[in-house]
Each structure stands twice: as structure tokens, then as C-alpha cells.
């Protein structure tokens, strides 16, 4: 698995960005995120139970990520057509403000090392990538356990201070000084 301090691999994948006919799909390329913070989160598969709670959770907090100059990408190994069908069907996913990216060939999931060894789908992995394309945080949950969007934001805040942040630190609290 790629981890902290390693460069995020280059990618060029299809993503669902809209429900408007003729504007549903867009190429999502790693080069488009150069110079920006990026949160990339993976889920196992569409039309399941835990996944939409996480995806909708990131959608509800999207403005908080944008306020931190951070882009958000959601990724699974389903096709862009399955993503589109799910967005049309699921009320919590209809108006997502970030792309649902299709890693159908499992290239990105495999290069990051987040494929479940038996199920062949992505684990619930979260990567925070800095503006230089360097992974600064990785979190991975098993298939049955959803992640905390609040914790992803907390870690992003801490990383963006570029200072020493103690346990349970939240934005607005003092950071530590090395002595």
C-alpha cells in the first residue's frame, strides 16, 4: 500500500459529475489537482448500505473542504454508468458536488494498494494529498465500517497548519512548539 510521504500515482479516469443529459461524465485526471489539496476516498461498491452514508456525508461537508482549498474525489471500482444509475436512484446522491470516479480496471486502487484481497473491490480508504501530490494521510477501514468525515477534516486542518498538533487537536486550538 502506498503511504505517507509517497507520491500519488498519475491517473486518468471517468467520473460522474452531473445528472444533466450530455454532461454526466468528465475525465478526471491527476494533473488537474496539482497545486491543490486533495481528499480521495474509496468505497467498495455502489448500491450497498454503508457506502451511501459516507458518500452523502462527504457531500454534506463539501463546502468545508472547499473552504480549505481542498478538492474531493470519491472512487470505486464500479463503472461510470453504474455510478450514474445509482446517483439517479438514490436521493442522497443526486446532487453530489464532487465526482464519483470509476476505477473500473482497478488501476488506481491497485497502484495505491487498497483492493480487498478476496472481494477484489476497494477498501474504505482515505488519502489526503498535499498540493505537491504527496500523500500526507492514509486511513483504511474494513468493508463493513464507515469512516468519519469529521476526522478527515480534522486531519486536513492539522496538516494545513504545518505545525505540531497534539492528540485530539481541532482547528482553533494552539499547536505545540518544539523545545
Amino acid at each position: 500500500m502506498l503511504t505517507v510521504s509517497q507520491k500519488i500515482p498519475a491517473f486518468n479516469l471517468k467520473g460522474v459529475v452531473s445528472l444533466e443529459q450530455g454532461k454526466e461524465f468528465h475525465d478526471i485526471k491527476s494533473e488537474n489537482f496539482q497545486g491543490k489539496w486533495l481528499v480521495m476516498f474509496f468505497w467498495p461498491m455502489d448500491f450497498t448500505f454503508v457506502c451511501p452514508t459516507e458518500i452523502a456525508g462527504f457531500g454534506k461537508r463539501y463546502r468545508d473542504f472547499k473552504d480549505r482549498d481542498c478538492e474531493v474525489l470519491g472512487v470505486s471500482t464500479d463503472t461510470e454508468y453504474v455510478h450514474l444509475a445509482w446517483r439517479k436512484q438514490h436521493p442522497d446522491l443526486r446532487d453530489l458536488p464532487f465526482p464519483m470516479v470509476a476505477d473500473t480496471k482497478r488501476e488506481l486502487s491497485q497502484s495505491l494498494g487498497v483492493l480487498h484481497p478476496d472481494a477484489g473491490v476497494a477498501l474504505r480508504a482515505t488519502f489526503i494529498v498535499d498540493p505537491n501530490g504527496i500523500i500526507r494521510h492514509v486511513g483504511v477501514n474494513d468493508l463493513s465500517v464507515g469512516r468519519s468525515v469529521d476526522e478527515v477534516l480534522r486531519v486536513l486542518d492539522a496538516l494545513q497548519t504545518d505545525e505540531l498538533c497534539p492528540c485530539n487537536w481541532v482547528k482553533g486550538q494552539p499547536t505545540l512548539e518544539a523545545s
Side-chain angles (χ1 to χ4, degrees), residues 40-164:
M40 188 168 22
F41 72 97
F42 290 76
W43 68 87
M45 63 182 82
D46 295 358
F47 292 97
T48 57
F49 304 101
V50 177
C51 299
T53 66
E54 295 183 303
I55 298 165
F58 276 98
K60 289 174 186 166
R61 300 298 301 274
Y62 180 73
R63 186 77 249 155
D64 295 322
F65 288 100
K66 291 300 285 183
D67 288 346
R68 291 159 172 83
D69 295 320
C70 182
E71 300 293 331
V72 176
L73 291 179
V75 185
S76 87
T77 57
D78 292 292
T79 69
E80 64 270 27
Y81 301 105
V82 174
H83 287 335
L84 179 62
W86 197 27
R87 278 188 65 166
K88 287 180 176 179
Q89 181 270 338
H90 199 294
D92 293 338
L93 305 180
R94 293 187 60 79
D95 298 318
L96 282 181
F98 58 83
M100 292 176 80
V101 180
D103 186 22
T104 311
K105 294 181 184 177
R106 293 162 166 71
E107 294 166 336
L108 185 56
S109 301
Q110 189 165 12
S111 65
L112 288 168
V114 298
L115 283 178
H116 188 280
D118 298 322
V121 296
L123 293 164
R124 295 185 193 287
T126 307
F127 294 85
I128 299 177
V129 181
D130 75 14
N132 297 312
I134 304 300
I135 298 168
R136 301 286 302 276
H137 170 81
V138 179
V140 183
N141 294 3
D142 201 354
L143 300 177
S144 62
V145 179
R147 73 202 99 201
S148 167
V149 177
D150 288 339
E151 177 63 5
V152 175
L153 279 163
R154 187 192 77 79
V155 172
L156 176 62
D157 285 338
L159 290 169
Q160 287 182 337
T161 69
D162 205 25
E163 296 184 28
L164 300 173

